[in-house]
Amino acid sequence: MFDFSKMFESDGPDIVYPWAIPLFAGIIFIEMVYSHFNKEKLYETKDVATNVLLALLNYSLDIIMKGFSMLVMMFFYYHRIFDWEVGIWYWIAVFLAQDFAYYVHHYVDHHSRVFWAVHITHHNSDYFNITTGFRSPVFQPLYRYLFFSPLAFIGFHPLHVMVAYSAIQIYGTFVHTQSIKSMGFLEYILVTPSHHRVHHACNIKYLDRNMGMGLIIWDKIFGTFEKEDPEVPVKYGIYPKMKSKDPATVLFYEWRRIGKDLRQPGLSFKNRLKYLFYSPGWRHDGTGKTVRQFQKEYKEKVKNKPLPAQPEPTEAVEPEYTSN
């Protein structure tokens, strides 16, 4: 029987995940049945298979990197600047700090192209269902611990940080659904399916919004919150659309685009670095547009002439733009 108290011990993730897997399987089955009988077409076999494959690849790399990532975080913990007494307030602080650290991590993933190249695999599906939560950024374990190391530096034990991360990620997987329209008053506190549908949208209005995974307060504090608008139906996926959905294309899509940009003749070293670390859509010759530029133009159009519906970018108009 599941002992909830053991979740807060150092081996918490190893205890939680085995119980979470059958729970996920059951809920996914229920959503599939719901989708079938309501003819909503929320699932597609190849897409689900891709989600599972990416999850397995991510998990395998996570196992390989586990020792090194913990070593780095333990280094910071050894040099910590605070000592905490473990108790209820400590665990509340751990969860809040971890949730904020993930928000920062997620924000960077969307605003720096080399990180977006890793994270884009989580967004490049045209479907949105609970299995999308398993559509992992495969290479993220290579650097994720760097965003969590500051938590160890301020005195939170790395194992406890990862317990909080595991719990928040499990919750975050469940918000990948179109089946739940609203969660009532919890919409003001937690990241909900409605909030996360906005996050996965490729509508200009919704780009780079709702970065949180557990609490929605960070988005409201830092101005990245956007409420789901019934007048602007969510469209999933990325622009430009991938011409192929084979696993290699899904995994390396943005890396190939980066490689193409870096091979441009006469490009300075400074501009090569900008292609790696500036926002997706940036171009050295000024022909590209970032999310902020698209949204600025959109707001001007809405301000000057209210639109009944959200115009979408097209590959013909925006050939070098990749959205979330």
Side-chain angles (χ1 to χ4, degrees), residues 28 43 86-87 93 138 173 205 246 270 284-285 308:
I28 289 170
Y43 285 83
V86 177
V138 172
T173 301
K205 178 179 181 177
D246 66 89
K270 182 178 180 180
H284 73 286
D285 56 6

Side-chain angles (χ1 to χ4, degrees), residues 138-205:
V138 172
F139 301 115
Q140 207 172 74
L142 295 174
Y143 62 86
R144 181 176 58 212
Y145 55 90
L146 297 177
F147 289 92
F148 302 159
S149 291
L151 305 187
F153 187 58
I154 62 175
F156 296 121
H157 195 287
L159 290 172
H160 298 162
V161 170
M162 296 314 296
V163 167
Y165 172 75
S166 301
I168 293 170
Q169 288 297 301
I170 288 172
Y171 169 77
T173 301
F174 286 118
V175 301
H176 292 81
T177 180
Q178 299 179 58
S179 304
I180 300 174
K181 306 307 178 185
S182 174
M183 292 179 64
F185 75 94
L186 293 177
E187 298 284 336
Y188 297 99
I189 305 169
L190 301 176
V191 172
T192 66
S194 177
H195 296 150
H196 211 60
R197 286 193 290 270
V198 167
H199 178 69
H200 273 259
C202 57
N203 312 63
I204 293 175
K205 178 179 181 177

Side-chain angles (χ1 to χ4, degrees), residues 11-296:
D11 58 348
D14 295 329
I15 295 173
V16 173
Y17 283 138
W19 283 90
I21 291 173
L23 180 62
F24 280 131
I27 294 177
I28 289 170
F29 176 76
I30 292 172
E31 188 175 58
M32 284 181 170
V33 173
Y34 168 85
S35 172
H36 174 75
F37 283 103
N38 284 274
K39 300 180 179 180
E40 295 194 19
K41 299 181 179 179
L42 301 179
Y43 285 83
E44 192 265 339
T45 303
K46 186 175 181 180
D47 181 76
V48 172
T50 300
N51 295 343
V52 173
L53 173 62
L54 293 176
L56 291 174
L57 291 174
N58 174 267
Y59 182 68
S60 298
L61 183 58
D62 210 8
I63 292 175
I64 294 172
M65 289 296 299
K66 186 175 183 179
F68 179 76
S69 61
M70 290 303 298
L71 182 65
V72 172
M73 293 176 68
M74 286 300 297
F75 170 82
F76 284 96
Y77 183 71
Y78 180 79
H79 296 282
R80 62 190 179 277
I81 57 178
F82 299 115
D83 283 301
W84 298 73
E85 181 180 348
V86 177
I88 182 63
W89 292 110
Y90 169 83
W91 279 106
I92 290 174
V94 170
F95 273 82
L96 287 174
Q98 165 55 233
D99 199 46
F100 175 67
Y102 180 82
Y103 172 87
V104 174
H105 174 13
H106 202 178
Y107 185 93
V108 173
D109 279 348
H110 281 256
H111 290 82
S112 180
R113 194 178 181 192
V114 69
F115 291 101
W116 174 240
V118 175
H119 188 65
I120 194 174
T121 57
H122 185 61
H123 286 267
N124 57 18
S125 171
D126 296 328
Y127 293 85
F128 186 74
N129 53 61
I130 293 177
T131 68
T132 308
F134 293 96
R135 194 182 182 95
S136 306
V138 172
F139 301 115
Q140 207 172 74
L142 295 174
Y143 62 86
R144 181 176 58 212
Y145 55 90
L146 297 177
F147 289 92
F148 302 159
S149 291
L151 305 187
F153 187 58
I154 62 175
F156 296 121
H157 195 287
L159 290 172
H160 298 162
V161 170
M162 296 314 296
V163 167
Y165 172 75
S166 301
I168 293 170
Q169 288 297 301
I170 288 172
Y171 169 77
T173 301
F174 286 118
V175 301
H176 292 81
T177 180
Q178 299 179 58
S179 304
I180 300 174
K181 306 307 178 185
S182 174
M183 292 179 64
F185 75 94
L186 293 177
E187 298 284 336
Y188 297 99
I189 305 169
L190 301 176
V191 172
T192 66
S194 177
H195 296 150
H196 211 60
R197 286 193 290 270
V198 167
H199 178 69
H200 273 259
C202 57
N203 312 63
I204 293 175
K205 178 179 181 177
Y206 296 146
L207 295 177
D208 292 348
R209 291 292 185 261
N210 301 352
M211 300 287 181
M213 183 56 70
L215 300 174
I216 198 63
I217 59 172
W218 313 119
D219 290 285
K220 293 186 175 182
I221 291 173
F222 297 106
T224 53
F225 175 73
E226 188 71 46
K227 187 176 181 180
E228 189 173 16
D229 186 348
E231 298 298 320
V232 185
V234 170
K235 295 186 178 181
Y236 302 104
I238 61 171
Y239 282 100
K241 297 291 185 181
M242 297 183 298
K243 295 180 180 179
S244 171
K245 294 184 179 180
D246 66 89
T249 300
V250 169
L251 188 57
F252 297 107
Y253 175 76
E254 187 65 9
W255 290 109
R256 291 171 177 174
R257 290 167 60 83
I258 290 175
K260 180 181 178 181
D261 287 334
L262 294 178
R263 289 193 297 270
Q264 294 176 86
L267 198 64
S268 68
F269 179 73
K270 182 178 180 180
N271 281 333
R272 292 181 196 277
L273 288 179
K274 288 181 178 179
Y275 271 114
L276 285 173
F277 295 104
Y278 271 29
S279 295
W282 178 89
R283 297 198 65 79
H284 73 286
D285 56 6
T287 59
K289 292 182 182 180
T290 64
V291 167
R292 289 183 180 179
Q293 290 171 314
F294 274 110
Q295 289 179 335
K296 182 178 180 180

